Amino acid sequence: MTFTALHRSLGVGPGPLTDEILDAAVAAGVIEANDLDWKSELPPARGLPQTDFPKDVAAMANSGGGVIVFGVREEQKAATARADVGELDEAYERSLRSAAITAISPPVFGLVIHRLGSEGKRAVVVEVPASIDGPHLIYRNEYFGAPVRNDSDTVWMKERQIEAMYRARFDERRHATEALDALFAEASAGRDAGKRAWLIAVAHPRIPRLRERLNRDQARDVLTKTERLALTYAGRGGIHPLESVDQLNPRPGLRRWVAVNTATGDRSIWKESWISIHHDSSVTLAAAVGGHRMSSDGYFEGWQVESSAIECAIADLMALIRITAEATDNDEYDVRLGIDWSGEQPLVILTKDNMGFTYDGVSTPLHRYTPVETTVNAVEPALDFYWHVHDFAEDCVNQGGVSNVRMIQPPARDESA
């Protein structure tokens, strides 16, 4: 559900951003504010990075986020009438997103662009997310500055403001690291890592949007949707942790829902897995990845991990992040994945040769698996996110000497787009 400055100004709750809401805001003469900027027309597509658009986006991001509405006339900062901005095609929309990335440092990711209205009163609303990466700077020739909203105006930060924002950025990074540390330590506690390797993966929203907690039915829906999405990232050629947890009956935990392990007994305990969805929209996954059953009779050793098991776990994790973000109105997540093994033998990641047989000839024995971290925008376009799944998995298997992922194969990007 969306909640923007337009919703706030009209006193309505979260919901879709519609043409009726924009009409109501104009009829009410809503006045510009820190998080609302009226514009009568779109900037020209040619030379977009040199227009005021990057400055306006950076100012919003530096001020806690907001919306820039193109297609509304104003007098004395108050909306007076609708204006038609013309057709917004996909190429222009990509140009808007590109300008927020290439003309601002650090880039502003996650713009949400809404097309509203019909011919004669077409409008475009650019929703700028809050950011913890401020100050966002604009470079013009040899000079740079940090714009910020001051009520309805855009002004330039003074040195002390810039200093304070950098300090806030470093504090947020420390807090994000502490949040991942706590999740990771909790998810790895009590695992029999001296007998078999465990994959531990956690993700925490960078700016948690604390909406209403998911109820049991919503948590169940997230888990079932996650499995379907995960299987599009990595099919059934490996062991998915999601297949070994109770998706239909998540249990309450401490400020979370827990999908408990269902793999029990001598024949299936090697697939043990646990998944949780926290009320702050964090997610965790713990799965035994060492000592899996071979395709023939017998089991691998606890220190032998198939690369396909890592890929399947990553597919499940990333799908869980994306579906949870969708259900809780979050976007960017910090992600950490590690393999916990405390036995005497070094950890070995196994792959397959061209004939499909297990192969360790390229493996690099690891006395410690260094946790891999990344940040993903969980609501970015589906193909872009799919490639993030691939690249993250590649980083994770590369550490063990394995060059390529085998199961996660997204379609080629359209480089001409």
Side-chain angles (χ1 to χ4, degrees), residues 63-230:
S63 306
V67 291
I68 306 170
V69 183
F70 298 94
V72 173
R73 294 190 177 92
E74 52 87 11
E75 289 183 10
Q76 300 299 314
K77 310 298 182 181
T80 58
R82 296 282 294 270
D84 190 277
V85 298
E87 184 67 28
L88 178 74
D89 59 22
E90 291 186 10
Y92 189 85
E93 184 174 329
R94 286 197 297 270
S95 296
L96 292 175
R97 297 184 194 279
S98 176
I101 295 171
T102 60
I104 302 172
S105 181
V108 176
F109 295 100
L111 294 188
V112 179
I113 299 174
H114 306 268
R115 298 180 176 92
L116 302 179
S118 55
E119 189 168 356
K121 60 170 193 176
R122 290 168 292 190
V124 172
V125 180
V126 177
E127 193 177 342
V128 182
S131 174
I132 59 175
D133 291 326
H136 294 276
L137 307 177
I138 301 298
Y139 288 84
R140 294 285 174 82
N141 299 320
E142 297 179 358
Y143 302 96
F144 72 89
V148 66
R149 296 285 292 177
N150 179 23
D151 194 21
S152 60
D153 297 316
T154 296
V155 299
W156 299 99
M157 289 186 191
K158 304 299 184 183
E159 181 183 10
R160 287 189 179 278
Q161 292 174 287
I162 294 175
E163 178 187 359
M165 190 161 279
Y166 272 119
R167 187 180 301 113
R169 183 203 292 188
F170 299 144
D171 287 344
E172 287 293 343
R173 285 184 179 175
R174 187 181 69 254
H175 295 156
T177 299
E178 290 171 352
L180 286 181
D181 287 345
L183 288 169
F184 198 88
E186 185 180 75
S188 60
R191 310 302 175 191
D192 55 350
K195 296 180 180 179
R196 53 183 173 165
W198 278 80
L199 183 145
I200 309 296
V202 301
H204 180 73
R206 301 193 77 195
I207 306 177
R209 290 171 172 79
L210 300 178
R211 304 288 191 249
E212 291 184 5
R213 296 176 174 182
L214 298 180
N215 58 37
R216 189 191 302 272
D217 289 339
Q218 291 169 324
R220 180 188 299 118
D221 186 55
V222 167
L223 290 165
T224 53
K225 286 182 178 178
T226 293
E227 183 177 25
R228 291 196 294 270
L229 180 58

Side-chain angles (χ1 to χ4, degrees), residues 25-92:
V26 172
V30 169
I31 297 174
E32 290 180 323
N34 266 17
D35 54 357
L36 176 62
D37 192 6
W38 300 124
K39 304 283 186 183
S40 60
E41 58 186 23
L42 286 165
R46 192 178 186 87
L48 186 62
Q50 282 71 51
T51 68
D52 281 343
F53 179 72
K55 182 182 74 172
D56 294 334
V57 171
M60 282 289 183
N62 284 335
S63 306
V67 291
I68 306 170
V69 183
F70 298 94
V72 173
R73 294 190 177 92
E74 52 87 11
E75 289 183 10
Q76 300 299 314
K77 310 298 182 181
T80 58
R82 296 282 294 270
D84 190 277
V85 298
E87 184 67 28
L88 178 74
D89 59 22
E90 291 186 10
Y92 189 85

